[in-house]
C-alpha cells in the first residue's frame, strides 16, 4: 500500500483504490498498477515534464478501447486506464521472431486506424509541429555536421508532409514496448503521443525497435522487408515507408541532442544515426524510382 501514498488522497478515494504498486518512474510520469473493485488497473500521473503527453490521453479517450487500452477516467493530469497486461511485443519477438511480431503490430494498427464516428480531438499534434526539432537541427547544424543527415532528413520530411494522404489521428509512438498482451491473449497499444497526419508515419518507429537490438535494426535485409511489408499494408510505395522511418530516426536524434546526448559515445544516438544513414543509402540504391 505504501506506493499508493504517492497518489493524491482524492484520487485514491475517487477511484476506490485498495493498493498500488509503482511500476514505472520516468521523467514524464509515474505509473502504478492498482487494485480496485477486485480487479487491476493502471494509473498514470503526469509530471510537469510530461504534460506534452496530454494529447495522448485525448487519443485514448477518442479510441474508446479499440486497438488501445481503454481510458476509464481522468482527474487533472492523472488517468485511470484498463490494465493491458505485462507481456510486451518485444518479449514476444524474443520467443517467436520479428516476422510474427510485425504481423501482430499491423493487426493492432488496423484497429488503431479504424474509422470512428466521433470527432477527432482538437488537441492532437499535427506532424508538421511534431517534426519541429528536426527542422531546428537542420537550420543550426553545419553542412558537415552529422554527415549532412539533418538537412537531408528535413528536406525529405518537408516533401512527405506536403503530400500527406488520408490524414487521421495517430498513436505517434507505436513500437514493441508500447504493444502489450493481456491474460486473454489480446494485443493492444499503450502510451500514445496523440498526433494527426499521414497514417504511414505510425510504423516509422518500428524500424528502430526494439531498443538495443542493434544487429536487427541495422540489418539492411530487415529494413527492406519492413518497408515492403508496410507498403503492402498501406498500399503505397516502399520509398514512402522507409523515408518516414529515416526521418523519424533523425527526429529522435534531434530530441536526444536537445536533451544533452553527445557523439561519440552514446549508443542510442549512434544507432539512430546509423539507421538513418543505411536508410538513405537504400532509398538511393534499392528503391530507386
Amino acid at each position: 500500500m505504501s506506493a499508493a501514498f504517492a497518489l493524491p488522497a482524492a484520487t485514491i478515494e475517487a477511484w476506490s483504490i485498495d493498493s498500488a504498486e509503482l511500476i514505472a518512474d520516468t521523467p514524464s510520469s509515474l505509473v502504478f498498477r492498482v487494485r480496485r473493485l477486485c480487479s487491476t488497473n493502471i494509473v498514470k500521473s503526469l509530471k510537469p515534464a510530461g504534460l506534452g503527453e496530454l494529447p495522448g490521453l485525448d487519443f485514448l479517450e477518442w479510441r474508446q478501447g479499440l486497438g488501445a487500452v481503454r481510458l476509464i477516467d481522468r482527474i487533472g493530469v492523472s488517468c485511470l486506464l484498463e490494465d493491458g497486461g505485462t507481456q510486451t511485443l518485444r518479449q514476444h519477438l524474443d520467443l517467436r521472431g520479428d516476422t510474427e511480431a510485425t504481423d501482430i503490430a499491423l493487426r493492432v494498427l488496423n484497429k488503431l486506424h479504424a474509422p470512428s464516428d466521433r470527432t477527432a480531438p482538437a488537441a492532437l499534434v499535427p506532424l508538421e509541429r511534431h517534426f519541429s526539432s528536426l527542422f531546428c537541427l537542420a537550420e543550426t547544424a553545419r553542412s558537415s555536421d552529422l554527415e549532412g543527415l539533418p538537412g537531408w532528413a528535413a528536406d525529405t520530411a518537408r516533401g512527405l508532409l506536403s503530400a500527406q494522404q488520408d490524414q487521421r489521428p495517430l498513436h505517434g509512438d507505436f513500437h514493441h514496448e508500447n504493444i502489450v498482451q493481456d491474460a486473454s491473449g489480446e494485443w493492444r497499444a499503450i502510451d500514445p503521443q496523440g498526433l494527426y497526419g499521414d497514417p504511414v508515419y505510425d510504423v516509422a518507429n518500428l524500424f528502430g525497435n526494439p531498443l538495443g537490438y542493434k544487429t536487427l535494426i541495422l540489418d539492411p535485409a530487415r529494413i527492406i522487408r519492413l518497408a515492403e511489408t508496410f507498403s503492402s499494408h498501406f498500399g503505397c510505395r516502399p520509398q514512402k515507408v522507409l523515408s518516414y522511418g529515416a526521418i523519424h530516426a533523425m527526429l529522435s536524434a534531434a530530441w536526444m541532442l536537445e536533451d544533452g546526448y553527445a557523439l561519440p559515445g552514446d549508443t542510442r544516438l549512434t544507432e539512430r544515426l546509423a539507421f538513418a544513414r543505411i536508410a538513405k543509402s537504400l532509398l538511393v540504391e534499392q528503391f530507386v524510382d
Side-chain angles (χ1 to χ4, degrees):
M1 184 73 178
S2 60
F5 292 113
L7 292 170
T11 301
I12 296 172
E13 181 178 358
W15 291 335
S16 302
I17 294 173
D18 297 320
S19 62
E21 175 191 4
L22 181 65
I23 58 174
D25 182 354
T26 74
S28 63
S29 64
L30 295 170
V31 182
F32 301 86
R33 177 165 280 111
V34 303
R35 188 155 188 86
R36 56 183 293 274
L37 307 176
C38 300
S39 65
T40 61
N41 292 101
I42 299 296
V43 172
K44 184 173 184 178
S45 183
L46 299 180
K47 299 177 181 179
L51 296 183
E53 297 183 18
L54 286 172
L57 302 186
D58 292 340
F59 177 88
L60 287 179
E61 193 167 21
W62 171 79
R63 195 70 296 203
Q64 294 190 308
L66 183 58
V69 294
R70 184 178 298 276
L71 189 149
I72 301 168
D73 196 13
R74 296 169 69 169
I75 300 176
V77 296
S78 295
C79 59
L80 179 67
L81 301 165
E82 189 177 16
D83 189 344
T86 59
Q87 172 88 354
T88 68
L89 191 59
R90 173 180 182 147
Q91 294 167 323
H92 191 79
L93 182 151
D94 289 338
L95 294 173
R96 303 297 293 270
D98 187 46
T99 299
E100 183 169 322
T102 300
D103 290 342
I104 290 170
L106 289 180
R107 291 202 299 269
V108 174
L109 198 64
N110 266 335
K111 296 178 181 179
L112 286 175
H113 287 177
S116 172
D117 57 5
R118 306 179 74 225
T119 302
L124 297 179
V125 177
L127 287 184
E128 292 87 350
R129 192 193 325 157
H130 182 63
F131 274 90
S132 59
S133 290
L134 173 60
F135 297 138
C136 182
L137 177 62
E139 291 174 0
T140 57
R142 297 170 300 181
S143 60
S144 60
D145 288 345
L146 306 179
E147 303 174 44
L149 286 171
W152 169 80
D155 289 343
T156 302
R158 290 188 184 97
L160 288 169
L161 297 178
S162 68
Q164 293 184 76
Q165 297 178 328
D166 192 23
Q167 296 185 58
R168 64 182 67 186
L170 306 179
H171 182 285
D173 195 21
F174 191 69
H175 60 77
H176 299 73
E177 295 284 3
N178 281 347
I179 304 170
V180 296
Q181 184 184 45
D182 64 18
S184 71
E186 183 176 0
W187 290 96
R188 284 170 291 184
I190 60 173
D191 289 344
Q193 287 192 355
L195 307 181
Y196 192 86
D198 194 316
V200 177
Y201 178 68
D202 252 351
V203 297
N205 210 5
L206 292 173
F207 282 98
N209 277 276
L211 289 176
Y213 286 47
K214 182 178 180 179
T215 301
L216 180 68
I217 290 169
L218 301 184
D219 178 7
R222 191 244 191 180
I223 296 172
I224 293 169
R225 177 175 61 80
L226 290 184
E228 292 177 341
T229 298
F230 297 151
S231 70
S232 178
H233 177 83
F234 288 110
C236 66
R237 297 183 307 156
Q239 293 94 319
K240 178 179 180 178
V241 177
L242 184 52
S243 293
Y244 267 118
I247 66 172
H248 176 79
M250 287 306 301
L251 174 61
S252 181
W255 288 333
M256 291 180 193
L257 290 168
E258 287 178 346
D259 289 340
Y261 290 75
L263 290 170
D266 185 78
T267 55
R268 286 183 59 191
L269 179 55
T270 301
E271 187 177 282
R272 287 291 188 259
L273 295 172
F275 173 82
R277 190 181 306 115
I278 294 170
K280 181 182 178 183
S281 296
L282 289 174
L283 285 166
V284 173
E285 300 167 4
Q286 182 73 25
F287 295 119
V288 62
D289 289 324

